[in-house]
Amino acid sequence: MSASTRTEGPSATPSASAGTGTPSVVPTGDGPAPRTEEGAIKRYEQYLHALGHEDIDTVCEVAGPAAKQAEDQGFGPCTSTYVAVFRMISPAQKKALRTATVDPGRVVVRTPGKIEMPVEAVRSSATFSESDLGSYTLEYLKTDWYITD
C-alpha cells in the first residue's frame, strides 16, 4: 500500500507491544467506539499520530482493512508495507504528524458509517499532499472506525 492510498485518542491507549501481533490499541470502557463523525476524527488522528511515532501496531490496527485489500492486490503485509511508508515521510513531517489534528469542516460524511478524510483536512505544522499522505475513507466496522480505502 502506498502513502497515497486512501484512508481515538482519549478512548484508546497505545501500547509498546511492537511485533507481538496483538493490536496496540486497547479501548477503554466496556462499549464500542462512538459511531459519530467525532469518533471517526479521533480514530484518524490516532492513526496520524501513530504514523508520526512509527507505531506499526497502531497503524496496522487502524488501517487493517485497507492494508489487507492492498496485500490481496500484491503488496506485502501491513507491517512490511508501512515500514516502507515510514521511510517516505520526512523527519519534519513525522514530527508534525505526532500532534496533527483534523479540521471537521473539511471531513465528508458519506453515510453515518462511512466518512472521508481528505488530505486537506489534516492540520499540522507541515504541509501534506495527496502524493505523500493521501486521503482516506474510514468505515465503522462492528465496534470501531477503520481505514478501508
Side-chain angles (χ1 to χ4, degrees), residues 54-143:
E54 296 189 16
D55 177 353
I56 195 76
D57 288 340
T58 301
V59 167
C60 288
E61 152 71 14
V62 177
K68 176 68 174 123
Q69 190 175 46
E71 185 175 356
D72 291 346
Q73 294 172 358
F75 291 90
C78 184
T79 51
S80 62
T81 303
Y82 268 99
V83 167
V85 171
F86 293 153
R87 284 189 236 126
M88 294 187 292
I89 303 170
S90 75
Q93 288 175 320
K94 285 179 191 168
K95 184 176 180 183
L97 284 169
R98 293 176 193 150
T99 57
T101 59
V102 173
D103 177 357
R106 294 186 176 259
V107 170
V108 180
V109 177
R110 295 291 179 205
T111 68
K114 188 173 188 175
I115 295 179
E116 292 184 23
M117 301 287 179
V119 70
E120 297 83 17
V122 176
R123 295 287 173 243
S124 74
S125 59
T127 301
F128 293 95
S129 67
E130 279 295 326
S131 63
D132 55 19
L133 182 61
S135 296
Y136 294 86
T137 300
L138 275 76
E139 290 187 62
Y140 194 85
L141 305 172
K142 296 184 183 179
T143 61

